[in-house]
Amino acid sequence: MINLVRCPSEEHTASEEASLRALESLMTEFFHNCTTNERKREIEELLNNFAQQIGAWRFCLYFLSSTRNDYVMMYSLTVFENLINKMWLGVPSQDKMEIRSCLPKLLLAHHKTLPYFIRNKLCKVIVDIGRQDWPMFYHDFFTNILQLIQSPVTTPLGLIMLKTTSEELACPREDLSVARKEELRKLLLDQVQTVLGLLTGILESIWDKHSVTAATPPPSPTSGESGDLLSSLLQSPSAAKLLNQPIPILDTESEYICSLALECLAHLFSWIPLSTSITPSLLTTIFHFARFGCDTRVRKMSSVNGSSQNSVLGQERGRLGVLAMSCINELMSKNCVPMEFEEYLLRMFQQTFYLLQKITKENNAHTVKSRLEELDERVLCWGRQAESYIEKFTDFLRLFVSVHLRRIESYSQFPVVEFLALLFKYTFHQPTHEGYFSCLDIWTLFLDYLTSKIKSRLADKEAVLNRYEDALVLLLTEVLNRIQFRYNQAQLEELDDETLDDDQTEWQRYLRQSLEVVAKVMELLPTHAFSTLFPVLQDNLEVYLGLQQFVVTSGTGHRLNITAENDCRRLHCSLRDLSSLLQAVGRLAEYFIGDVFAARFNDALTVVERLVKVTLYGSQIKLYNIETAVPSVLKPDLIDVHAQSLAALQAYAHWLAQFYSEVHRQNPEQFISLVSTALEAITPLISSKVQEKLLLSACHLLVSLATTVRPVFLISIPAVQKVFNRITDTSAQRLPDKAQVLVCRALSNVLLLPWPNLPESEQQWAVRSTNHASLISALTREYRQLKSNAILPQRKVQLEDTKVIIHQTLSVLEDIVESISGESTKSRQICYQSLQESVQVSLALFPAFIHQSDVTDEMLSFFLTLFQGLRVQMGVPFTEQIIQTFLNMFTREQLAESILHEGSTGCRVVEKFLKILQVVVQEPGQVFKPFLPSVISLCMEQVYPIIAERSSPDVKAELFELLFRVLHHNWRYFFKSSVLASVQRGVAEEQMENEAQFSAIMQAFGQSFLQPDIHLFKQNLFYLETLNTKQKLYHKKIFRTTMLFQFVNVLLQVLVHKSHDLLQEEIGIATYNMASVDFDGFYSAFLPEFLASCDGVDSNQKNVLGRNFKMDRDLPSFTQNVHRLVNDLRYYRLCNDSLPPGTVKL
């Protein structure tokens, strides 16, 4: 490469030449695959040391102009970047002038031959100089860019410089002061009109230049646009004519320039406000280019002659479309639209919907889907991941519906219904599942918009619904078709139903999103939705109910006599569809209850009767145990349908409860028959031989009947008595854990929950209480026997058996207590009476298992549930005994063992113990107040010292929540407020008690803000703010005089260190709330002291920081001042760190 730019003096040439050769060989060695990591580190150190030398840039300038080695060029530019961004303050002004003049010359001379990544890096380095020096010391920085853009030879280079300037100056990083950031933004805003004008000119002139020569194809019978819709969208034939011009064929250079211009626009639109600078002609031009994405003819051109050159051209054209849509979406995403810009927006929508119509138009050569497939090919855009035109277009539609629909719908000239017709075509021709999901999201947004609009304007409800009714019914029908194998088998079979992602498989996500749309339409149009869905369900039910005729008895049991492959496949599809439709029917249950119960009663009754019939049929002919020709496919299908029919019936539990309350006085026969039949369907399934999926569905339905419906006759039904006998029979095989817990909950609730619609005198509590006691007694027989030999040492096998009994019993009891914790006092009393002996056994067993953290964990879970649900019933003396036992057992040594040596289970044990104490300290009244001193001492003297220094978050969140509850619910333990004293003194200056404990707790909160755990930081900041809102914490004398500014100091330091950046806003508000208690003290004493203690900044900089912090007393201005202080303090430190040693600052 020619040694063109010789800014430095010539005598260095020999040493520079030698350095260059040495650097080239070092770089080659560094990137050679045989070089060891050790050697790489040595080379790296050598290069870093070279870069730190004063004057290293002169060598780098020489290297840049004299080498062809990419690595050397990249290294040299990094040296410049470091110099400009970190050391610029200390560079002599003569050197700065030299650098400002040499680097642009270098760029101009070599931009055509440099590899693009080197050229882009060099542009960024020059822009970095502008960021520091424009306009004061580098006044022609921006004019140079404008000149580059205007000169045809350097237009691409100018556009790259412009985009880099927009990226680096409009939203600069924090290595600038706030004043400089504001100045740069203002300077750039002053240039916006000129820049947009230039970019419009470039795009228009290229379009016009190539349009003239584009050969107009003869109109074909299929190419005529549907005139009515188009003119209604565009309002003017001339606009339609303009958009119908054939797309020009651009040469490679023009493509490149246009793509750069569009990239510049997209970045500019991301930060400039919507204003009249964005002219109609610019918008129209962007839309012209958006057509490149949706015109498949342009892409087809690329495959002519099969040359790869042409196919690259097709990619380029596609990219122009993607880039133009990016520009449009940047404008669309702005919610704040000035009045004068609304008309432009309307025009934008009209033009985009013209494109949407083009994309979804049927013609002989193309199906809509194949066209969308072509447009969904991803194209690479500069420096970004590959994106497709369809993705961009879907983004546009989402923004339109979520941000602008309410604004645009009121325009009479905007045809919303026609738009929905196009969106419908676009949605149901999507080439990928992800694309389809994204479109369903858009429909969900639209349905939400419609629902809220109707709720706010009930008077117009009919008119609004009539306008959209056809579109919604079409949508519903099509979404239902899409979830059925009958209509959509090929696509549905591609969905993965094995791999879990976010707790659901791809198939489950597909079904769930589809059913959400169905449910939202049901809410708006209940009758239509039901009459669309029910017949489809009915068809599939007929197939399922008809299977009985194919069941034959064989030697080993029952067999389904359907063997032909085609029949099995059809049956598989029908069963899958039935399963999906049952889920749909279950999802709609909520739209039959409440105010509409009577109006929609018949529809709901029809559904529930069908569901009861289907569940009974499945249980009677035992389809879940039947042999089939394709067991790996049909058996899971039959089990799934049976499980889904039970789950769908469970969804109607609230409807059954409402039905019960309407008919319990007169003719309840129909209701009794429904419930009894449902129970007949459930009981055969409650067996350890039934597959777990089906067993659990039956258990959940039983729980809902017992808990939500609660019919008085439930206990007398033979089927329920059968379940009672099975569960209390010790010889019967125990159900799997989950099922056992659910069945026991159901049986307990049958006896404990008050019957609806009956007075207290008819509740038969005495009989039910006796029955409940015998149920619990049977369930806990083995557990209660453990008490006698708990103290004896146990052998390993025996110990494992004991653990199993404890686990099985406590999981059942805990669930029973939890399910009635919100119920009436009577239910809780009976429950506790039945449990009393087991609770005492648990307390007696606890000390024996204190070193078995897995057992202690379960026991404490049980006690925590007891405290939350039954503490009143347990009574004060026994509760005190429990707490005292725990406090005695959890010694400092035991806590240390649990937290430090037993891993997560040990920590869970301590966390549950702290949770129990949280319940205790929240209890109103005086009962548990005597425990406060020992609770606080346990926290501060035993738990806190163990966890304070650990980096692990275990136990900390629970401990601080307990401390917060101690303060929040026992404020008077610390601050005794006497009304008389406050009246006499005129100010409430409360007496302080237990001051040492209060200070220790506050100290612990302060320490927690110095630790890296962001969740703990956020939680504790919230606790302090809550105590301030509720109890005026920051105003208390002790806090105000001894702690306030320590906390403010810590919060400011956290902001300066950027360790908890996600919480900037919360920290700013808390700082304001603390400072506002004593603004005078903050401004006169704290701020000067804080600045005086800051290291890394000189006294002049400290004065500037102090002056810039205005004495504002309102929240927005104050937090802005705080963030300005933090930013500028970091900036000054950065500058000072980069100055060469011994630099004199003036």
Side-chain angles (χ1 to χ4, degrees), residues 498-673:
E498 304 283 315
T499 327
L500 283 176
D501 178 20
D502 276 350
D503 286 342
Q504 54 181 358
T505 63
E506 192 180 22
W507 158 254
Q508 287 166 337
R509 178 185 167 204
Y510 183 91
L511 188 59
R512 191 164 298 157
Q513 278 196 268
S514 304
L515 294 186
E516 281 314 299
V517 173
V518 171
K520 285 178 190 295
V521 177
M522 174 84 184
E523 192 177 353
L524 290 162
L525 299 171
T527 326
H528 285 83
F530 184 75
S531 56
T532 306
L533 174 63
F534 195 69
V536 189
L537 174 72
Q538 193 73 348
D539 288 351
N540 284 289
L541 278 176
E542 294 309 322
V543 174
Y544 178 63
L545 295 170
L547 289 178
Q548 194 165 5
Q549 60 197 339
F550 297 104
V551 175
V552 294
T553 312
S554 65
T556 49
H558 295 284
R559 188 164 52 77
L560 191 62
N561 196 15
I562 296 177
T563 50
E565 190 184 339
N566 200 26
D567 290 344
C568 287
R569 185 174 291 123
R570 279 172 48 213
L571 178 58
H572 166 63
C573 291
S574 176
L575 291 172
R576 287 291 300 265
D577 289 349
L578 178 54
S579 171
S580 302
L581 293 161
L582 284 166
Q583 288 178 61
V585 163
R587 176 65 187 82
L588 303 183
E590 63 180 281
Y591 301 112
F592 292 106
I593 53 175
D595 302 344
V596 296
F597 177 80
R600 297 189 198 152
F601 175 78
N602 289 333
D603 284 348
L605 183 62
T606 313
V607 170
V608 174
E609 283 176 341
R610 294 302 282 169
L611 291 174
V612 167
K613 180 180 175 183
V614 171
T615 51
L616 180 64
Y617 161 84
S619 296
Q620 279 176 340
I621 68 167
K622 294 192 165 64
L623 283 171
Y624 51 90
N625 267 345
I626 222 149
E627 289 176 27
T628 63
V630 203
S632 64
V633 176
L634 291 179
K635 189 156 187 177
D637 288 344
L638 289 164
I639 290 170
D640 193 46
V641 165
H642 199 164
Q644 295 298 354
S645 62
L646 292 160
L649 183 52
Q650 186 201 349
Y652 284 84
H654 288 283
W655 181 85
L656 280 168
Q658 196 166 350
F659 185 18
Y660 184 36
S661 65
E662 305 277 330
V663 298
H664 72 101
R665 286 279 174 233
Q666 69 276 15
N667 56 3
E669 293 74 22
Q670 197 174 24
F671 172 77
I672 294 173
S673 152

Side-chain angles (χ1 to χ4, degrees), residues 246-289:
I247 289 184
I249 296 153
L250 308 183
D251 56 82
T252 316
E253 177 71 3
S254 303
E255 297 260 1
Y256 179 50
I257 290 174
C258 291
S259 65
L260 287 173
L262 289 168
E263 290 207 334
C264 283
L265 283 171
H267 197 274
L268 289 165
F269 289 164
S270 71
W271 61 268
I272 63 177
L274 291 181
S275 69
T276 43
S277 316
I278 302 170
T279 60
S281 64
L282 172 55
L283 292 177
T284 305
T285 305
I286 294 172
F287 275 98
H288 278 321
F289 282 94

Side-chain angles (χ1 to χ4, degrees), residues 1041-1108:
T1041 53
T1042 62
M1043 306 172 191
L1044 182 69
F1045 290 131
Q1046 285 180 0
F1047 272 101
V1048 176
N1049 187 26
V1050 168
L1051 293 179
L1052 285 180
Q1053 295 293 358
V1054 165
L1055 286 174
V1056 172
H1057 290 300
K1058 285 183 85 69
S1059 52
H1060 297 72
D1061 246 15
L1062 290 172
L1063 303 176
Q1064 268 188 3
E1065 195 179 334
E1066 291 90 333
I1067 295 172
I1069 292 170
T1071 309
Y1072 171 78
N1073 288 334
M1074 289 181 189
S1076 63
V1077 172
D1078 180 10
F1079 268 136
D1080 295 339
F1082 176 82
Y1083 285 117
S1084 64
F1086 171 76
L1087 196 57
E1089 276 174 37
F1090 175 79
L1091 290 171
S1093 69
C1094 286
D1095 48 3
V1097 280
D1098 62 32
S1099 54
N1100 180 37
Q1101 290 166 332
K1102 288 176 182 178
N1103 290 336
V1104 174
L1105 291 170
R1107 273 203 309 277
N1108 284 344

Side-chain angles (χ1 to χ4, degrees), residues 449-506:
Y449 162 72
L450 215 52
T451 310
S452 63
K453 179 175 174 172
I454 284 170
K455 280 178 182 159
S456 64
R457 294 179 18 201
L458 282 173
D460 309 346
K461 180 177 176 179
E462 290 309 312
V464 174
L465 280 177
N466 287 342
R467 183 178 185 191
Y468 294 119
E469 187 179 299
D470 295 349
L472 296 182
V473 172
L474 256 179
L475 172 69
L476 174 75
T477 311
E478 194 53 44
V479 169
L480 279 175
N481 289 348
R482 284 303 166 105
I483 62 171
Q484 292 178 70
F485 281 78
R486 182 181 185 176
Y487 301 106
N488 193 23
Q489 186 172 352
Q491 263 196 308
L492 294 180
E493 281 181 342
E494 287 171 19
L495 292 169
D496 174 2
D497 199 16
E498 304 283 315
T499 327
L500 283 176
D501 178 20
D502 276 350
D503 286 342
Q504 54 181 358
T505 63
E506 192 180 22

Side-chain angles (χ1 to χ4, degrees), residues 22-92:
L23 182 59
E24 285 177 344
S25 74
L26 274 176
M27 283 299 193
T28 312
E29 183 185 354
F30 185 86
F31 287 102
H32 195 280
N33 52 10
C34 295
T35 310
T36 63
N37 285 341
E38 190 71 22
R39 176 64 181 144
K40 284 188 175 184
R41 272 195 294 276
E42 283 172 23
I43 296 174
E44 213 170 334
E45 202 173 327
L46 208 67
L47 295 174
N48 285 341
N49 291 342
F50 178 79
Q52 293 306 319
Q53 291 180 126
I54 296 167
W57 65 269
R58 289 188 185 278
F59 283 91
C60 291
L61 203 53
Y62 170 73
F63 299 160
L64 281 171
S65 56
S66 313
T67 185
R68 289 172 175 280
N69 184 315
D70 291 352
Y71 298 135
V72 170
M73 288 196 256
M74 209 58 178
Y75 168 73
S76 305
L77 288 171
T78 311
V79 172
F80 271 112
E81 197 172 34
N82 192 48
L83 177 80
I84 293 157
N85 289 329
K86 295 191 176 162
M87 301 155 76
W88 201 238
L89 263 185
V91 177

